[in-house]
């Protein structure tokens, strides 16, 4: 479907022209390479390589209603999600496995925690992580920005990156917008809490 959209419209469509609402388990490479204009909303979980090569589309992953566990403490998408993504958006209500956003060069993504080697070799884009990272975070990261709410500096590979507090008002506004979109699309309980206590969240 994505290839047909690209063949007919190229990169000219606005967001959300086509939306597929999915329920259950998304398999390997769910939403790989999807173009601008196509949105995939998954209620459930998915395997490795979610959004690989994302090319302008939008992916939303959230757990079912009525769950008894905390999404921000449980993995909802597997390893190497958004590998090599170039443009588009992703909102993940839960934790991603290892190597989240490796070689991301231009997407905007929100997730509630990541495993080891997150944002490895990232060259562009913006990633908002509402929880913790695994070890070796940002290894080889040469561009883009990662905003991490609960960052352990000892887990960050600081060879190429600099750690800074969030103090710029424009950046604070941009992060708040990302968080608001995350809540809008996923109804994340953690996102609601962080927004309701925004002044404390950004200090």
């Amino acid at each position: 479907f994505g290839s047909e959209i690209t063949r007919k419209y190229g990169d000219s469509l606005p967001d959300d022209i086509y939306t597929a609402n999915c329920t259950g388990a998304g398999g390997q490479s769910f939403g790989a390479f999807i173009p601008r204009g196509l949105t995939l909303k998954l209620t459930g979980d998915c395997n490795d390589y979610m959004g690989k090569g994302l090319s302008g589309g939008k992916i939303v992953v959230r757990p079912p209603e009525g769950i008894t566990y905390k999404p921000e403490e449980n993995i909802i998408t597997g390893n190497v999600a958004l590998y090599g993504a170039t443009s588009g958006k992703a909102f993940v209500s839960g934790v991603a496995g290892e190597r989240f956003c490796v070689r991301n060069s231009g997407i905007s993504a929100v997730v509630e925690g990541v495993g080891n080697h997150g944002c490895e070799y990232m060259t562009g884009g913006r990633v908002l992580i509402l929880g913790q990272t695994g070890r070796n975070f940002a290894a080889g990261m040469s561009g883009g920005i990662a905003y991490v709410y609960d960052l352990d500096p000892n887990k960050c590979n600081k060879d190429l990156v600099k750690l800074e507090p969030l103090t710029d008002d424009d950046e604070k506004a941009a992060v708040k917008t990302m968080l608001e979109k995350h809540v809008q699309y996923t109804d994340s309980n953690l996102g609601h809490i962080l927004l309701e206590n925004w002044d404390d969240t950004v200090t």
Side-chain angles (χ1 to χ4, degrees):
F1 186 38
S3 67
E4 290 297 322
I5 291 172
T6 300
R7 187 175 293 112
K8 186 171 183 179
Y9 300 106
D11 192 41
S12 66
L13 293 181
D15 290 347
D16 305 322
I17 293 297
Y18 299 101
T19 298
N21 294 299
C22 309
T23 303
Q28 299 283 71
S29 299
F30 177 81
F33 305 109
I34 65 171
R36 188 178 309 278
L38 176 57
T39 295
L40 300 184
K41 296 182 177 180
L42 173 63
T43 301
D45 55 36
C46 56
N47 291 358
D48 299 341
Y49 288 101
M50 179 206 79
K52 174 177 65 177
L54 185 67
S55 301
K58 183 189 297 177
I59 298 175
V60 177
V61 182
R62 57 169 297 172
E65 295 182 5
I67 57 173
T68 58
Y69 58 85
K70 293 182 178 180
E72 65 270 22
E73 296 177 359
N74 288 271
I75 292 177
I76 195 170
T77 189
N79 298 326
V80 207
L82 303 169
Y83 173 85
T86 59
S87 59
K89 302 177 182 70
F91 302 92
V92 180
S93 181
V95 178
E98 297 187 357
R99 291 191 155 89
F100 181 80
C101 270
V102 170
R103 298 194 182 279
N104 168 28
S105 62
I107 71 158
S108 171
V110 183
V111 66
E112 298 180 2
V114 299
N116 298 334
H117 316 294
C119 298
E120 190 176 36
Y121 302 120
M122 186 168 139
T123 61
R126 293 184 178 222
V127 175
L128 173 58
I129 300 170
L130 305 181
Q132 298 180 346
T133 73
R135 62 182 175 82
N136 200 34
F137 181 75
M141 181 178 170
S142 59
I145 302 174
Y147 303 101
V148 185
Y149 179 70
D150 191 8
L151 178 64
D152 180 349
N154 295 318
K155 292 182 178 180
C156 185
N157 187 318
K158 295 185 280 291
D159 287 349
L160 294 179
V161 300
K162 181 169 63 173
L163 306 183
E164 296 179 339
L166 184 61
T167 57
D168 182 82
D169 287 340
D170 289 339
E171 278 202 284
K172 287 181 180 180
V175 170
K176 187 176 184 181
T177 297
M178 292 175 72
L179 183 55
E180 287 171 339
K181 291 292 186 183
H182 181 66
V183 170
Q184 175 187 340
Y185 288 118
T186 70
D187 197 28
S188 163
N189 184 61
L190 175 60
H192 278 291
I193 292 171
L194 294 176
L195 277 179
E196 289 166 5
N197 300 278
W198 178 247
D199 289 341
D200 292 331
T201 297
V202 294
T203 56

